[in-house]
Amino acid sequence: MTGAGDKPFIAAVKPLVDAIGGELLPPDEAGPDDVVLSWEGADVVAVRLPQLADSLDHILAALERKKGKPLAELDRRAKQEIVRNLEARGAFSVRHGVETVASALGVSRFTVYNYLNREKGA
């Protein structure tokens, strides 16, 4: 993909790209929507960003890995905290975001809306 001198740069950005569900590509394979990263004046790597809906699925999967169990098995307080964090990250601006989160948490859409409204009323 790149020269040997670029490997530390790629290693440095890879965790961020993985966290957002992106994909690393050679810069010459970048499309118009990809982000090309340069280092010391040379294009080193391109990042293909995920679609927003894919990002939400990726975020939910990462939360499950972090918690060490399915999100549906968490207690109510933990689920409320997840909903707060997801709202701060814009998860509910994605089409079907509430339904996707409700399904992952094992609750109804109504419950997710209650968690959201509870925060706004607090």
Side-chain angles (χ1 to χ4, degrees), residues 23-43:
E23 178 185 355
L24 295 174
L25 307 166
D28 59 344
E29 292 181 20
D33 294 329
D34 297 331
V35 179
V36 177
L37 303 177
S38 298
W39 182 252
E40 296 181 350
D43 291 344

Side-chain angles (χ1 to χ4, degrees), residues 1-3 5-18 22-31 33-49:
M1 185 183 312
T2 61
D6 299 330
K7 288 184 181 173
F9 177 78
I10 293 170
V13 299
K14 186 172 181 347
L16 175 62
V17 172
D18 289 346
E23 178 185 355
L24 295 174
L25 307 166
D28 59 344
E29 292 181 20
D33 294 329
D34 297 331
V35 179
V36 177
L37 303 177
S38 298
W39 182 252
E40 296 181 350
D43 291 344
V44 176
V45 67
V47 178
R48 180 154 297 151
L49 300 172

Side-chain angles (χ1 to χ4, degrees), residues 42-88:
D43 291 344
V44 176
V45 67
V47 178
R48 180 154 297 151
L49 300 172
Q51 298 298 314
L52 284 176
D54 295 338
S55 290
L56 181 53
D57 289 336
H58 188 79
I59 290 167
L60 290 166
L63 284 169
E64 264 191 6
R65 284 191 303 276
K66 184 177 179 180
K67 299 290 185 185
K69 61 181 170 181
L71 299 178
E73 294 179 9
L74 298 174
D75 65 26
R76 183 173 50 87
R77 180 168 279 151
K79 290 177 182 182
Q80 289 171 332
E81 179 71 21
I82 286 172
V83 168
R84 274 195 301 277
N85 290 334
L86 290 172
E87 181 182 29

